[in-house]
Amino acid sequence: MIPWLLSLSLAFAADPAEEAQRVELERARAQVADQVHLAVFDLIDELVYRLSQEPVFSSPTPVVLAGVSVPVGLGTGLQALMENHLAGVMLANPETNLRLVHCPQCTAVVVRSSAKGTVVSRGVDDPALLAELGVEAGRHALFIDVEAEGAFLVLRARLTELSAELPIVWSHTLSTSTATPALLRDPTALKSAEEARAEYLNVLNGQGAVVIPARVNVRTYALPEGDNAGTAPPPFIWLQTGVELSPTVARRWTSSMMLGYALIPQAYQGLMAQARISRLVTGQARSLTHPDLYLFGGLSLSTVWGPGTASFRNNTLTLDEILTDTNLDEPRATFGAVHVGAELRLGNRVGFGFFLETLPSFTSSRNFGRYATLGPIEAHSLGAEVAFCF
Amino acid sequence: MFGLLPLTFALPFVMPQPGSWRDRDDAHNYTCTFMTLEQAQLARPGAVRPRGPRGDLYERDVVLCQERMLPLGLRLDADEAILSTLDARVSELAGAARSRRPDLEGATWLVEVYYPSPAVSAKIGFATKNALMAEGLGVSDRTPTLAAGDVQVITRMPPSEAYPTACRRYTDNGSLGAADVLLAVVLLDRQETALHAGLCAAGSWTWLR
């Protein structure tokens, strides 16, 4: 790669240069600009972060973005990216007290002729002329320069007061190296490098491939309707725990296997085994700063017993059955269920979900109504849950 | 003993020096720094195993190699030589200027750069102003000017006369006041990569280096 670049540059230096070679060299430059632009953004983020922590001015001050220059050898495309990013980050962080203002007279090349001679300069270099052009006093000019120095990318910034003496009121120099990954900070919540690293380590330490969730969920069963309608089972409260696995830390897909237990003394007890697969729908990877929404589907196998579980049968309960169940054999039912639902996860620590569940073995039961019908599938049960992940 | 075998075979792949697996041009795109274990832990937290509480079985040092930000060949060699060490160069110049003339600490410092490429010249000027600010000096973005006639005469002089003459004219025409000092950064010969510097204060020119 590099010898190829070198040969291209030598070819470029030769006179006349082949047009095709020049195009290839420009392509190589664009490729390098692509590679360094994240590092440039990182330096700009760091600069604005420092300005927001230690503002130069105590009150909002109009500032003209007078100059942004890129490393020698790279094109103006990177310059435009830098200007846009800088303006975006500064607007998102008004606590810097630097209020960007538009001043075409400041950045334009102006010509001034007087008895002393003719001076060609940029507006920011001739404050007296700016005053004549009606530019209000008290403005400052912000200059940004980025240069590649060996393995380092160095950003220099300075603020110059647009008065007759053009004093530099503040300057700063930052650098990053090729071996330093960009922090990719959120412009609205800038962090220091130390804070970002601590956050990154927290993510790595606290959010591995395996998470142990503990869930509390409540299932209600739809009341049956019509003649010969039976009695719906009572609401069931389940405590569940198990493991939740994800193939990557992005947690785009997760699967969980849970065991559950339900107990209401004198009413029912139950055991449940459940498997679920979830898919993140709010992005490609889970967010560190915003809630994540998952859609999920799964299967469960439950066995319940106790007086309150008599309705888990297909026929309508009779008075005899109720008396028999109470005095002699405790009713017991084992059944499978299929569920679909949605869950909102906060920081992958707390989740709130709801789901609809169908019980295929009770499709013809008179003891179950339906909350919804999705094609041939009837949702017999509606549930809500809260999950805590460890 | 046996641990050295894989190390011996792995080194040619890992180390950036030219050899069987890396050609000279490729190796030139790395800059390497020799540092102690403690310095490496600061520079690359988590990448270097810390020294054990009872010390290590053998002495360890670190050579930190990093790829150049811009591969060689994307800009002229002369510019590359200046720019790749710009920060060190201007810091040295600013330090030298301040230590040579401590009496000028309260003055307003102006910077001029004489380099063939305007883009590189602007870079040197920017870096020099920041370096002077870092030294705690008062710096201005103002540029001293010469009349067209002065320029015509001075550009025909050899450097040894041109800079002192320009300095006198800056003072005579008032663009360099009594409280101003001009630090000029100069490339005297296009064949060299050393930057020279001179100070102009009160109409008197002094070469710093």
Coordinates of all heavy atoms in Angstrom, one line a residue, chain A residues 2-3 5-6 9 25 28-29 32 36 69-74 143-153 156-158 160 164-173 176-180 197, chain B residues 23 25-26 29 31 44-46 66-75 79-80 83-88 90 108 119-120 123 125-127 129-130 133-134 139-143 145 147 180:
Chain A
I2 N 1.8 1.3 1.0 CA 2.6 2.5 1.1 C 3.6 2.7 -0.1 O 3.7 3.8 -0.6 CB 3.4 2.5 2.5 CG1 2.4 2.3 3.6 CG2 4.2 3.8 2.6 CD1 1.2 3.3 3.5
P3 N 4.3 1.6 -0.5 CA 5.1 1.8 -1.7 C 4.3 2.3 -2.9 O 4.8 3.1 -3.7 CB 5.7 0.4 -1.9 CG 5.6 -0.3 -0.6 CD 4.4 0.3 0.0
L5 N 1.6 4.1 -2.7 CA 1.4 5.6 -2.5 C 2.6 6.4 -2.9 O 2.5 7.4 -3.5 CB 1.0 5.9 -1.1 CG -0.4 5.4 -0.6 CD1 -0.6 5.7 0.9 CD2 -1.5 6.2 -1.4
L6 N 3.8 5.9 -2.4 CA 5.0 6.6 -2.7 C 5.3 6.7 -4.2 O 5.6 7.8 -4.7 CB 6.1 5.8 -2.0 CG 7.5 6.6 -1.9 CD1 7.3 7.9 -1.2 CD2 8.5 5.7 -1.3
S9 N 3.1 9.2 -5.6 CA 3.5 10.6 -5.3 C 4.7 11.0 -6.1 O 4.8 12.2 -6.6 CB 3.8 10.7 -3.8 OG 5.0 10.1 -3.5
L25 N -3.9 9.3 -6.7 CA -3.3 9.9 -5.6 C -4.4 10.7 -4.8 O -4.5 10.6 -3.5 CB -2.2 10.9 -5.9 CG -1.4 11.5 -4.8 CD1 -0.8 10.4 -4.0 CD2 -0.4 12.5 -5.3
A28 N -6.3 8.1 -2.9 CA -5.5 7.7 -1.7 C -5.6 8.8 -0.6 O -5.8 8.4 0.6 CB -4.1 7.5 -2.1
R29 N -5.6 10.0 -1.0 CA -5.7 11.1 0.1 C -7.1 11.1 0.7 O -7.3 11.2 1.9 CB -5.5 12.5 -0.6 CG -4.0 12.7 -0.9 CD -3.8 14.1 -1.4 NE -2.4 14.4 -1.4 CZ -1.7 15.0 -2.4 NH1 -2.4 15.4 -3.5 NH2 -0.5 15.2 -2.3
V32 N -7.2 8.3 3.2 CA -6.6 8.7 4.5 C -7.5 9.7 5.3 O -7.6 9.6 6.5 CB -5.2 9.3 4.2 CG1 -4.6 9.9 5.5 CG2 -4.3 8.3 3.6
V36 N -8.7 9.4 9.1 CA -8.4 10.3 10.2 C -9.5 11.2 10.7 O -9.4 11.9 11.7 CB -7.2 11.3 9.9 CG1 -6.0 10.5 9.4 CG2 -7.5 12.3 8.8
S69 N -8.2 24.8 9.3 CA -7.3 24.2 8.3 C -7.0 22.8 8.6 O -7.0 22.4 9.8 CB -6.0 25.0 8.2 OG -5.5 25.2 9.5
V70 N -6.8 22.0 7.6 CA -6.7 20.5 7.7 C -5.2 20.2 7.5 O -4.4 21.0 7.0 CB -7.6 19.8 6.7 CG1 -9.0 20.1 6.9 CG2 -7.2 20.2 5.3
P71 N -4.8 19.0 7.8 CA -3.4 18.6 7.5 C -3.0 18.8 6.1 O -3.8 18.5 5.2 CB -3.4 17.1 7.9 CG -4.4 16.9 8.9 CD -5.5 17.9 8.5
V72 N -1.8 19.3 5.9 CA -1.3 19.6 4.5 C -1.2 18.2 3.8 O -0.7 17.2 4.4 CB 0.2 20.1 4.6 CG1 0.8 20.2 3.2 CG2 0.1 21.5 5.3
G73 N -1.8 18.2 2.6 CA -1.9 17.0 1.9 C -3.3 16.4 1.8 O -3.5 15.5 1.0
L74 N -4.1 16.8 2.7 CA -5.5 16.3 2.7 C -6.4 17.4 2.1 O -6.1 18.6 2.1 CB -6.0 15.9 4.0 CG -5.2 14.8 4.7 CD1 -5.8 14.4 6.0 CD2 -5.2 13.6 3.7
F143 N -9.8 30.4 15.4 CA -9.0 29.7 14.4 C -8.7 28.3 14.9 O -8.3 28.1 16.0 CB -7.7 30.4 14.2 CG -7.8 31.8 13.7 CD1 -8.0 32.9 14.5 CD2 -7.8 32.1 12.3 CE1 -8.1 34.2 14.1 CE2 -7.9 33.4 11.8 CZ -8.1 34.5 12.7
I144 N -8.9 27.3 14.0 CA -8.7 25.9 14.3 C -7.7 25.4 13.3 O -7.9 25.6 12.1 CB -9.9 25.1 14.3 CG1 -11.0 25.7 15.2 CG2 -9.7 23.6 14.6 CD1 -10.8 25.3 16.7
D145 N -6.7 24.7 13.7 CA -5.7 24.1 12.8 C -5.5 22.7 13.2 O -5.3 22.4 14.4 CB -4.4 24.9 12.8 CG -3.4 24.1 12.0 OD1 -3.6 23.9 10.8 OD2 -2.3 23.8 12.5
V146 N -5.5 21.7 12.3 CA -5.2 20.3 12.6 C -4.1 19.9 11.7 O -4.1 20.2 10.5 CB -6.5 19.4 12.4 CG1 -6.1 18.0 12.6 CG2 -7.6 19.8 13.3
E147 N -3.1 19.3 12.3 CA -1.9 18.9 11.5 C -1.5 17.5 11.9 O -1.6 17.1 13.1 CB -0.8 19.9 11.7 CG 0.4 19.6 10.8 CD 0.0 19.4 9.3 OE1 -0.7 20.3 8.7 OE2 0.3 18.3 8.8
A148 N -1.1 16.7 10.9 CA -0.5 15.4 11.2 C 1.0 15.5 11.5 O 1.7 15.9 10.6 CB -0.8 14.4 10.0
E149 N 1.4 15.2 12.7 CA 2.8 15.3 13.0 C 3.3 13.9 13.5 O 3.1 13.5 14.6 CB 3.0 16.3 14.1 CG 2.5 17.7 13.7 CD 2.7 18.8 14.8 OE1 3.4 18.5 15.7 OE2 2.0 19.8 14.7
G150 N 3.9 13.2 12.5 CA 4.3 11.8 12.8 C 3.1 10.9 13.1 O 2.2 10.9 12.3
A151 N 3.2 10.3 14.3 CA 2.1 9.4 14.6 C 1.0 10.2 15.3 O 0.0 9.6 15.7 CB 2.6 8.3 15.6
F152 N 1.1 11.5 15.4 CA 0.1 12.2 16.2 C -0.7 13.2 15.3 O -0.2 13.7 14.3 CB 0.8 13.1 17.3 CG 1.5 12.2 18.3 CD1 2.8 11.8 18.2 CD2 0.8 11.8 19.4 CE1 3.4 11.0 19.1 CE2 1.4 10.9 20.3 CZ 2.7 10.6 20.2
L153 N -1.9 13.4 15.7 CA -2.7 14.4 15.1 C -2.8 15.5 16.1 O -3.3 15.3 17.2 CB -4.1 13.8 14.7 CG -4.9 14.6 13.7 CD1 -4.3 14.6 12.4 CD2 -6.3 13.9 13.6
R156 N -4.7 22.7 17.1 CA -4.4 23.9 17.7 C -5.6 24.9 17.5 O -6.2 24.9 16.5 CB -3.1 24.5 17.2 CG -1.9 23.7 17.4 CD -0.6 24.4 16.9 NE 0.6 23.5 17.2 CZ 1.0 22.6 16.5 NH1 0.4 22.3 15.3 NH2 2.1 21.9 16.8
A157 N -5.8 25.6 18.6 CA -7.0 26.6 18.5 C -6.5 27.9 19.1 O -5.7 27.9 20.1 CB -8.2 26.0 19.2
R158 N -7.0 29.0 18.6 CA -6.8 30.2 19.3 C -7.9 31.2 19.1 O -8.7 31.1 18.1 CB -5.5 30.9 18.8 CG -5.5 31.4 17.4 CD -4.2 32.2 17.1 NE -4.3 32.9 15.8 CZ -3.9 32.5 14.7 NH1 -3.3 31.3 14.6 NH2 -4.0 33.2 13.6
T160 N -8.9 35.2 18.9 CA -8.3 36.5 18.8 C -9.4 37.6 18.9 O -10.4 37.4 18.3 CB -7.6 36.6 17.4 OG1 -6.6 35.6 17.3 CG2 -6.9 38.0 17.2
A164 N -8.0 46.6 17.3 CA -6.9 47.1 16.5 C -5.6 46.3 16.7 O -4.9 46.1 15.7 CB -6.7 48.6 16.9
E165 N -5.3 45.9 17.9 CA -4.1 45.2 18.2 C -4.2 43.7 18.0 O -3.2 43.0 18.1 CB -3.6 45.5 19.6 CG -3.1 46.9 19.8 CD -1.9 47.2 18.9 OE1 -1.0 46.4 18.9 OE2 -1.9 48.2 18.2
L166 N -5.4 43.2 17.7 CA -5.6 41.7 17.4 C -4.9 40.8 18.5 O -4.2 39.9 18.1 CB -5.1 41.4 16.0 CG -5.9 41.9 14.8 CD1 -5.2 41.6 13.5 CD2 -7.3 41.2 14.8
P167 N -5.2 41.1 19.8 CA -4.5 40.2 20.8 C -5.1 38.8 20.8 O -6.3 38.7 20.6 CB -4.8 41.0 22.1 CG -6.0 41.7 21.8 CD -6.0 42.1 20.4
I168 N -4.3 37.9 21.0 CA -4.8 36.5 21.1 C -5.1 36.3 22.6 O -4.3 36.5 23.5 CB -3.7 35.5 20.7 CG1 -3.3 35.6 19.2 CG2 -4.2 34.0 20.9 CD1 -2.2 34.8 18.8
V169 N -6.4 36.0 22.9 CA -6.8 36.0 24.3 C -6.8 34.5 24.8 O -6.9 34.4 26.1 CB -8.3 36.5 24.4 CG1 -8.3 38.0 24.0 CG2 -9.3 35.8 23.6
W170 N -6.7 33.6 24.0 CA -6.7 32.2 24.5 C -6.2 31.3 23.4 O -6.4 31.5 22.2 CB -8.2 31.8 24.8 CG -8.4 30.3 25.2 CD1 -8.2 29.8 26.4 CD2 -8.8 29.3 24.3 NE1 -8.5 28.4 26.3 CE2 -8.8 28.1 25.0 CE3 -9.0 29.2 22.9 CZ2 -9.2 26.9 24.5 CZ3 -9.4 28.0 22.3 CH2 -9.5 26.8 23.1
S171 N -5.4 30.3 23.8 CA -5.0 29.3 22.8 C -4.9 27.9 23.5 O -4.8 27.8 24.7 CB -3.6 29.7 22.2 OG -2.6 29.5 23.2
H172 N -4.9 26.9 22.7 CA -4.9 25.6 23.2 C -4.4 24.6 22.2 O -4.6 24.8 21.0 CB -6.3 25.2 23.6 CG -6.4 24.1 24.7 ND1 -6.1 24.4 26.0 CD2 -6.7 22.8 24.7 CE1 -6.2 23.3 26.8 NE2 -6.6 22.3 26.0
T173 N -3.7 23.6 22.7 CA -3.1 22.5 21.8 C -3.5 21.2 22.3 O -3.3 20.9 23.5 CB -1.6 22.7 21.7 OG1 -1.3 24.0 21.2 CG2 -1.0 21.7 20.7
T176 N -3.7 13.6 19.6 CA -4.1 12.2 19.7 C -3.2 11.4 18.8 O -2.5 12.0 17.9 CB -5.6 12.0 19.4 OG1 -5.9 10.7 19.6 CG2 -5.9 12.3 17.9
S177 N -3.1 10.2 19.0 CA -2.2 9.4 18.1 C -3.0 8.3 17.3 O -4.2 8.1 17.6 CB -1.2 8.7 19.0 OG -1.7 7.6 19.6
T178 N -2.3 7.7 16.4 CA -2.9 6.7 15.6 C -3.3 5.5 16.4 O -4.2 4.7 16.0 CB -1.9 6.1 14.5 OG1 -0.6 5.9 15.1 CG2 -1.8 7.1 13.4
A179 N -2.7 5.3 17.6 CA -3.0 4.1 18.4 C -4.2 4.4 19.4 O -4.6 3.6 20.1 CB -1.8 3.7 19.2
T180 N -4.7 5.6 19.3 CA -5.8 6.0 20.2 C -7.1 5.9 19.5 O -7.4 6.6 18.6 CB -5.6 7.4 20.7 OG1 -4.3 7.6 21.2 CG2 -6.6 7.8 21.8
R197 N -13.7 6.4 29.4 CA -13.0 5.1 29.6 C -13.7 4.3 30.7 O -13.9 3.1 30.6 CB -11.5 5.3 29.8 CG -10.8 4.0 30.1 CD -9.3 4.1 30.1 NE -8.7 2.9 30.6 CZ -8.5 1.8 29.9 NH1 -8.9 1.8 28.7 NH2 -7.9 0.8 30.4
Chain B
D23 N 9.1 -4.4 4.4 CA 10.1 -3.7 3.6 C 10.4 -2.3 4.2 O 9.8 -1.8 5.1 CB 9.7 -3.5 2.1 CG 8.4 -2.7 1.9 OD1 8.2 -1.8 2.7 OD2 7.6 -3.0 1.0
D25 N 10.2 0.8 3.1 CA 9.2 1.9 3.0 C 8.1 1.7 4.1 O 7.6 2.6 4.7 CB 8.6 1.9 1.6 CG 9.6 2.3 0.6 OD1 10.5 3.0 1.0 OD2 9.5 1.8 -0.6
D26 N 7.7 0.4 4.3 CA 6.7 0.1 5.2 C 7.2 0.5 6.6 O 6.4 1.1 7.4 CB 6.3 -1.4 5.2 CG 5.0 -1.7 5.8 OD1 4.3 -0.7 6.1 OD2 4.7 -2.9 6.0
N29 N 7.0 4.1 7.9 CA 5.7 4.6 8.4 C 5.4 4.4 9.8 O 4.3 4.6 10.3 CB 4.6 4.1 7.5 CG 4.5 4.9 6.2 OD1 4.6 6.1 6.2 ND2 4.4 4.1 5.1
T31 N 6.7 5.3 13.9 CA 7.6 6.0 14.7 C 7.6 5.3 16.1 O 6.6 4.9 16.6 CB 7.1 7.4 15.0 OG1 5.8 7.4 15.5 CG2 7.1 8.2 13.7
R44 N -0.4 3.7 27.6 CA -1.3 2.7 27.1 C -1.9 1.9 28.3 O -1.5 0.8 28.5 CB -0.6 1.7 26.2 CG -0.2 2.3 24.8 CD -1.4 2.4 23.9 NE -1.1 3.1 22.7 CZ -1.0 4.4 22.6 NH1 -1.3 5.2 23.6 NH2 -0.7 5.0 21.5
P45 N -2.9 2.5 29.0 CA -3.4 1.8 30.2 C -4.0 0.5 29.8 O -4.8 0.4 28.8 CB -4.4 2.8 30.7 CG -4.6 3.9 29.8 CD -3.5 3.8 28.8
G46 N -3.7 -0.6 30.5 CA -4.3 -1.9 30.2 C -3.6 -2.7 29.2 O -3.8 -3.9 29.1
Q66 N 4.1 3.4 16.7 CA 2.9 3.8 16.2 C 3.0 4.2 14.7 O 4.0 4.7 14.3 CB 2.4 5.1 16.9 CG 2.2 4.8 18.4 CD 1.8 6.1 19.2 OE1 0.7 6.3 19.4 NE2 2.8 6.9 19.5
E67 N 1.9 3.9 14.0 CA 2.0 4.2 12.5 C 1.8 5.7 12.3 O 1.1 6.4 13.1 CB 0.8 3.4 11.9 CG 0.9 3.2 10.4 CD -0.2 2.3 9.9 OE1 -0.9 1.8 10.7 OE2 -0.2 2.3 8.6
R68 N 2.4 6.2 11.3 CA 2.3 7.6 11.0 C 0.8 7.9 10.7 O 0.1 7.1 10.1 CB 3.1 8.0 9.8 CG 4.6 8.2 10.1 CD 5.3 8.4 8.8 NE 6.7 8.6 9.0 CZ 7.3 9.7 9.3 NH1 6.6 10.8 9.5 NH2 8.6 9.7 9.5
M69 N 0.4 9.1 11.1 CA -1.0 9.5 10.8 C -1.2 9.6 9.3 O -2.2 9.2 8.8 CB -1.2 10.9 11.5 CG -2.7 11.3 11.6 SD -3.7 10.1 12.5 CE -3.4 10.5 14.2
L70 N -0.2 10.2 8.6 CA -0.3 10.3 7.1 C 0.9 9.5 6.5 O 2.0 9.8 6.9 CB -0.1 11.8 6.7 CG -1.4 12.5 6.2 CD1 -2.4 12.6 7.3 CD2 -1.1 13.8 5.6
P71 N 0.6 8.5 5.7 CA 1.7 7.7 5.1 C 2.7 8.6 4.4 O 2.3 9.7 3.8 CB 1.0 6.8 4.2 CG -0.4 6.8 4.6 CD -0.7 8.1 5.2
L72 N 3.9 8.2 4.3 CA 4.9 9.0 3.6 C 4.5 9.0 2.1 O 4.0 8.0 1.6 CB 6.3 8.4 3.7 CG 6.9 8.5 5.1 CD1 8.2 7.7 5.2 CD2 7.2 9.9 5.4
G73 N 4.7 10.1 1.4 CA 4.4 10.1 0.0 C 3.2 11.0 -0.3 O 3.0 11.4 -1.5
L74 N 2.5 11.3 0.7 CA 1.3 12.2 0.5 C 1.6 13.6 0.4 O 0.8 14.4 0.0 CB 0.2 11.9 1.5 CG -0.6 10.7 1.4 CD1 -1.8 10.6 2.4 CD2 -1.2 10.5 0.0
R75 N 2.8 14.0 0.9 CA 3.2 15.4 0.8 C 4.7 15.5 0.5 O 5.4 14.5 0.7 CB 2.8 16.2 2.0 CG 3.1 15.6 3.3 CD 2.3 16.3 4.4 NE 2.6 15.8 5.7 CZ 1.9 16.1 6.8 NH1 0.9 17.0 6.7 NH2 2.2 15.7 8.0
D79 N 8.4 19.3 3.3 CA 7.3 19.7 4.2 C 7.1 18.6 5.3 O 6.8 19.0 6.4 CB 6.0 19.8 3.4 CG 6.1 21.0 2.4 OD1 7.0 21.8 2.5 OD2 5.2 21.1 1.5
E80 N 7.2 17.4 4.9 CA 7.0 16.3 5.8 C 8.0 16.4 7.0 O 7.7 16.2 8.1 CB 7.1 15.0 5.1 CG 6.9 13.7 6.0 CD 5.5 13.6 6.5 OE1 4.6 13.8 5.7 OE2 5.3 13.4 7.7
L83 N 6.9 19.3 9.2 CA 5.6 19.1 9.9 C 5.6 18.0 10.9 O 4.9 18.0 11.9 CB 4.5 18.9 8.8 CG 4.2 20.1 7.9 CD1 3.2 19.8 6.8 CD2 3.6 21.3 8.8
S84 N 6.4 16.9 10.6 CA 6.3 15.7 11.4 C 6.9 16.0 12.8 O 6.6 15.3 13.8 CB 7.0 14.6 10.8 OG 8.3 14.8 10.6
T85 N 7.7 17.1 12.9 CA 8.3 17.4 14.2 C 8.0 18.9 14.6 O 8.7 19.5 15.3 CB 9.8 17.2 14.2 OG1 10.3 17.9 13.1 CG2 10.2 15.8 14.1
L86 N 6.8 19.4 14.1 CA 6.5 20.8 14.2 C 6.4 21.2 15.7 O 6.9 22.2 16.1 CB 5.2 21.1 13.5 CG 4.8 22.6 13.5 CD1 5.8 23.4 12.8 CD2 3.4 22.7 12.8
D87 N 5.7 20.4 16.5 CA 5.5 20.8 17.9 C 6.8 21.0 18.6 O 7.0 22.0 19.3 CB 4.6 19.8 18.6 CG 3.9 20.3 19.7 OD1 3.1 21.3 19.6 OD2 4.0 19.8 20.9
A88 N 7.7 20.0 18.5 CA 9.0 20.1 19.2 C 9.8 21.3 18.7 O 10.4 22.0 19.5 CB 9.7 18.8 18.9
V90 N 8.7 24.2 17.3 CA 8.2 25.6 17.7 C 8.3 25.7 19.2 O 8.5 26.8 19.7 CB 6.8 25.8 17.2 CG1 6.7 25.9 15.7 CG2 5.8 24.8 17.8
T108 N 4.4 42.7 23.4 CA 3.5 42.0 22.6 C 4.2 41.3 21.4 O 5.0 42.0 20.7 CB 2.4 43.0 22.0 OG1 1.7 43.6 23.1 CG2 1.4 42.3 21.1
A119 N 0.8 27.2 2.7 CA 0.1 26.3 3.6 C 0.9 25.9 4.8 O 0.5 26.0 6.0 CB -0.4 25.1 2.9
V120 N 2.2 25.5 4.5 CA 3.1 25.1 5.6 C 3.4 26.3 6.5 O 3.6 26.2 7.7 CB 4.3 24.4 5.0 CG1 5.3 24.0 6.2 CG2 3.9 23.2 4.3
K123 N 0.9 26.9 8.9 CA 0.9 26.0 10.0 C 2.0 26.3 11.0 O 1.8 26.3 12.2 CB 1.3 24.6 9.4 CG 0.2 24.0 8.5 CD -0.9 23.4 9.2 CE -1.9 22.8 8.2 NZ -3.0 22.2 8.9
G125 N 3.3 29.3 11.6 CA 2.9 30.5 12.3 C 1.9 30.2 13.4 O 2.0 30.7 14.5
F126 N 0.9 29.4 13.1 CA -0.1 29.0 14.1 C 0.6 28.3 15.3 O 0.3 28.7 16.5 CB -1.1 28.1 13.4 CG -2.5 28.1 14.1 CD1 -3.6 28.3 13.3 CD2 -2.6 27.8 15.4 CE1 -4.9 28.2 13.9 CE2 -3.9 27.8 16.0 CZ -5.0 28.0 15.3
A127 N 1.4 27.3 15.0 CA 2.0 26.6 16.0 C 3.0 27.5 16.9 O 3.0 27.3 18.1 CB 2.8 25.4 15.4
K129 N 2.7 30.7 17.4 CA 1.9 31.6 18.3 C 1.4 30.8 19.5 O 1.4 31.3 20.6 CB 0.7 32.2 17.5 CG 1.1 33.2 16.5 CD -0.1 33.6 15.6 CE 0.4 34.6 14.5 NZ -0.6 34.8 13.5
N130 N 0.9 29.6 19.3 CA 0.4 28.8 20.4 C 1.6 28.5 21.4 O 1.4 28.5 22.6 CB -0.2 27.5 19.9 CG -1.7 27.7 19.6 OD1 -2.1 28.8 19.2 ND2 -2.4 26.6 19.7
M133 N 2.2 31.5 23.4 CA 1.2 31.6 24.5 C 1.4 30.7 25.6 O 1.2 31.0 26.8 CB -0.2 31.4 23.8 CG -0.7 32.4 22.9 SD -1.3 33.9 23.7 CE -2.8 33.3 24.4
A134 N 1.9 29.4 25.2 CA 2.1 28.4 26.3 C 3.3 28.8 27.2 O 3.4 28.4 28.3 CB 2.4 27.1 25.6
V139 N 0.7 37.5 22.9 CA 0.8 37.4 21.5 C -0.3 38.1 20.7 O -1.4 38.1 21.2 CB 0.9 35.9 21.1 CG1 1.3 35.7 19.6 CG2 1.9 35.1 22.0
S140 N 0.1 38.6 19.6 CA -1.0 39.3 18.7 C -1.0 38.6 17.4 O 0.0 38.1 16.9 CB -0.6 40.8 18.6 OG -1.4 41.3 17.6
D141 N -2.2 38.7 16.7 CA -2.3 38.2 15.4 C -2.0 39.2 14.3 O -2.1 38.9 13.1 CB -3.8 37.7 15.2 CG -3.9 36.2 15.1 OD1 -2.9 35.5 15.0 OD2 -5.1 35.7 15.3
R142 N -1.6 40.4 14.8 CA -1.3 41.5 13.9 C 0.0 41.1 13.0 O 0.9 40.4 13.5 CB -1.1 42.8 14.6 CG -1.2 44.0 13.8 CD -1.4 45.2 14.8 NE -0.3 45.3 15.8 CZ 0.9 45.8 15.6 NH1 1.2 46.3 14.4 NH2 1.8 45.9 16.5
T143 N 0.0 41.6 11.8 CA 1.1 41.4 10.9 C 1.8 42.7 10.6 O 1.1 43.6 10.1 CB 0.7 40.7 9.6 OG1 -0.1 39.6 9.9 CG2 1.9 40.3 8.8
T145 N 3.7 45.4 8.4 CA 3.7 45.6 7.0 C 4.8 46.5 6.5 O 5.3 47.3 7.3 CB 2.3 46.3 6.5 OG1 2.1 47.4 7.3 CG2 1.2 45.3 6.7
A147 N 6.1 48.9 3.1 CA 5.7 49.6 1.8 C 6.2 48.8 0.6 O 7.2 48.1 0.7 CB 6.2 51.0 1.8
D180 N 6.4 46.2 20.9 CA 6.2 45.0 20.1 C 7.5 44.4 19.8 O 8.6 45.0 19.7 CB 5.6 45.4 18.7 CG 4.2 46.0 18.9 OD1 3.5 45.7 19.9 OD2 3.8 46.8 18.0

